[in-house]
């Protein structure tokens, strides 16, 4: 009989202890920072982050790395992981959620930086035919 009460007491203690336990999966659900006037959120977040900022006169460059996500704002031009997302207006919020870039609540598509440079090159004059 004594053994029954010991087992019952042990079971009740385990139930009471486990009732207070909770597992939280979203430990690093998001990482956020301010880059100039822009609030930036990256999902999923990462404990490994770094940021830099350089301001010289009217020129400003901000960089934020969160795991594999690299965000750069240079003179209000946004790039994420080497792709251009165009110009930002002052104080626009930027979200990078599993690769989708949202600016001021609207999803924005990218243009690779190399493609952008190619598009910005002035047209070369065509040789005239004789």
């Amino acid at each position: 009989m004594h053994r029954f009460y010991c087992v019952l007491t042990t079971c009740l203690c385990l139930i009471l202890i486990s009732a207070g336990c909770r597992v939280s999966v979203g430990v690093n659900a998001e990482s956020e920072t301010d880059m100039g006037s822009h609030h930036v959120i990256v999902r999923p977040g990462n404990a490994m982050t770094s940021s830099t900022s350089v301001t010289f006169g009217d020129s400003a460059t901000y960089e934020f790395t969160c795991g594999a996500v690299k965000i750069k704002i240079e003179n209000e031009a946004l790039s994420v992981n080497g792709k251009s997302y165009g110009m930002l207006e002052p104080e626009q919020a930027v979200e990078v959620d599993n690769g989708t870039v949202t600016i001021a609540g609207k999803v924005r598509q990218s243009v690779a930086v190399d493609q952008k440079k190619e598009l910005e090159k002035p047209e070369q004059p065509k040789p005239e035919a004789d």
Side-chain angles (χ1 to χ4, degrees):
M1 189 76 156
H2 176 64
R3 184 172 180 187
F4 172 75
Y5 287 116
C6 286
V7 171
L8 180 63
T9 304
T10 303
C11 289
L12 287 175
C13 286
L14 289 174
I15 290 170
L16 289 174
I17 291 171
S18 66
C21 294
R22 179 171 41 162
V23 176
S24 179
V25 179
V27 171
N28 286 321
E30 64 184 36
S31 295
E32 52 188 303
T33 190
D34 290 321
M35 298 176 74
S37 69
H38 309 286
H39 189 71
V40 178
I41 299 173
V42 178
R43 292 185 192 100
N46 192 304
M48 301 300 289
T49 63
S50 68
S51 63
T52 60
S53 64
V54 177
T55 306
F56 186 72
D58 292 338
S59 177
T61 301
Y62 305 93
E63 294 183 4
F64 179 61
T65 302
C66 179
V69 178
K70 294 179 184 2
I71 301 170
K72 183 176 182 179
I73 299 175
E74 185 170 12
N75 298 323
E76 300 300 313
L78 173 68
S79 65
V80 178
N81 293 337
K83 294 183 178 180
S84 173
Y85 286 86
M87 300 301 290
L88 298 172
E89 296 294 324
E91 299 183 15
Q92 283 186 315
V94 177
E95 292 183 29
V96 180
D97 191 348
N98 290 299
T100 301
V101 176
T102 305
I103 299 169
K106 296 180 182 176
V107 174
R108 210 179 263 188
Q109 300 301 314
S110 70
V111 175
V113 174
D114 291 339
Q115 291 175 347
K116 182 182 174 195
K117 287 180 183 176
E118 190 68 33
L119 292 172
E120 291 175 352
K121 285 184 182 176
E123 285 189 36
Q124 299 296 325
K126 296 180 183 176
E128 294 182 22
D130 290 328

